[in-house]
């Protein structure tokens, strides 16, 4: 499959402003858990940056629709592999989350077929990952899954994450953050902790959406 064909099939990639790489985003409205958490005070989803700013542009909304429509295309995995062949890093879901077990398995297959790319996916779909591993599924070494905390200043499910061999991330509105981006103009810079399996937990600084 040619690059342009793959790009068109999956609805293109996203370009998160702080990231050192391409990303992939879906609408927050299609988040199975996040769309419910959005209405809960002090939840991370209640202040999600992906509900405002450039994510509100019509062009982004149209891209989200194209990507969601393409997810069950039998050529989706092949297309994503084509797009990521020469990428050192990739960030899944700078907006949105896993849509089901089939979605998780497809992403894992993409990671397996792009061994030279380090993949990072944050998710609140703890049960999906738990079920996948319980059923004998394995996670490629180049795919870092981070269980995202549900609430600001509250811990992620670290015990479950350790049991499953995955990582975690949290959000803090105090000075208790480990992500260096707020100290360097909101860019990752040289930091790659989110893609580093040895960094069990990353704490992001809360910032008001807008």
């Amino acid at each position: 499959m040619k690059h342009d064909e793959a790009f068109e099939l999956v609805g293109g990639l996203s370009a998160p402003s702080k990231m050192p790489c391409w990303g992939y985003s879906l609408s927050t409205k299609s988040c199975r858990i996040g769309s419910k958490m959005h209405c809960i005070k002090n939840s991370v989803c209640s202040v999600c940056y992906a509900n405002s700013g450039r994510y509100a542009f019509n062009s982004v909304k149209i891209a989200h629709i194209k990507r969601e429509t393409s997810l069950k295309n039998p050529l989706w995995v092949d297309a994503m592999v084509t797009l990521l062949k020469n990428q050192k890093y990739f960030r899944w879901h700078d907006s949105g989350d896993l849509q089901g077990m089939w979605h998780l398995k497809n992403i894992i297959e993409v990671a397996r077929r792009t061994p030279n790319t380090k993949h990072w996916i944050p998710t609140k779909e703890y049960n999906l990952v738990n079920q996948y591993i319980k059923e004998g599924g394995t996670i490629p070494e180049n795919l870092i899954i981070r269980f995202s905390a549900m609430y600001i200043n509250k811990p992620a499910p670290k015990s479950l994450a350790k049991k499953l061999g995955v990582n975690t991330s949290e959000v803090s509105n105090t000075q208790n953050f480990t992500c260096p981006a707020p100290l360097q103009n909101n860019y990752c810079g040289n930091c790659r902790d989110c893609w580093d399996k040895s960094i069990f937990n990353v704490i992001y600084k809360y910032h008001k959406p807008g």
Side-chain angles (χ1 to χ4, degrees):
M1 183 181 295
K2 294 181 179 179
H3 187 278
D4 290 348
E5 294 173 337
F7 195 86
E8 180 64 26
L9 188 148
V10 304
L13 300 177
S14 63
S17 59
K18 67 178 284 187
M19 295 287 140
C21 62
W22 291 103
Y24 183 91
S25 65
L26 296 170
S27 171
T28 57
K29 293 180 180 179
S30 66
C31 289
R32 306 192 315 169
I33 292 176
S35 59
K36 299 174 183 177
M37 296 295 294
H38 177 66
C39 301
I40 301 176
K41 186 178 180 180
N42 204 46
S43 73
V44 173
C45 298
S46 70
V47 291
C48 181
Y49 61 81
N51 288 322
S52 60
R54 68 180 184 83
Y55 288 93
F57 294 169
N58 281 334
S59 58
V60 175
K61 292 179 180 179
I62 291 171
H64 285 164
I65 292 171
K66 286 183 177 179
R67 289 178 197 140
E68 191 166 349
T69 301
S70 76
L71 282 175
K72 290 191 176 181
N73 188 312
L75 295 177
W76 186 87
V77 170
D78 290 339
M80 289 302 302
V81 170
T82 295
L83 293 178
L84 300 184
K85 275 183 179 177
N86 298 315
Q87 303 301 315
K88 290 184 67 176
Y89 296 92
F90 191 70
R91 192 259 168 89
W92 291 96
H93 301 151
D94 53 280
S95 168
D97 206 338
L98 297 169
Q99 301 296 296
M101 182 65 73
W102 55 272
H103 192 191
L104 173 61
K105 288 181 177 179
N106 280 349
I107 288 176
I108 287 172
E109 181 61 21
V110 172
R112 285 201 178 105
R113 290 171 55 183
T114 54
N116 295 322
T117 301
K118 289 189 176 182
H119 299 256
W120 156 44
I121 178 169
T123 184
K124 291 180 174 63
E125 293 283 352
Y126 316 148
N127 290 336
L128 266 184
V129 179
N130 187 25
Q131 180 185 347
Y132 171 78
I133 293 175
K134 271 189 173 182
E135 293 176 354
T138 58
I139 300 171
E141 283 297 316
N142 63 321
L143 173 60
I144 305 302
I145 295 177
R146 290 191 179 275
F147 283 172
S148 302
M150 295 286 189
Y151 295 91
I152 300 167
N153 295 331
K154 297 291 185 181
K158 293 185 173 68
S159 295
L160 178 61
K162 288 179 179 178
K163 177 182 175 182
L164 300 178
V166 300
N167 297 56
T168 61
S169 62
E170 300 170 357
V171 176
S172 172
N173 64 7
T174 70
Q175 293 303 307
N176 180 35
F177 61 89
T178 60
C179 169
L183 305 177
Q184 45 198 36
N185 297 317
N186 290 319
Y187 289 102
C188 293
N190 294 323
C191 180
R192 299 293 181 271
D193 284 1
C194 294
W195 290 271
D196 189 339
K197 200 172 184 66
S198 70
I199 307 295
F200 178 66
N201 187 50
V202 175
I203 304 176
Y204 305 109
K205 183 179 180 180
Y206 163 76
H207 59 86
K208 291 183 179 180

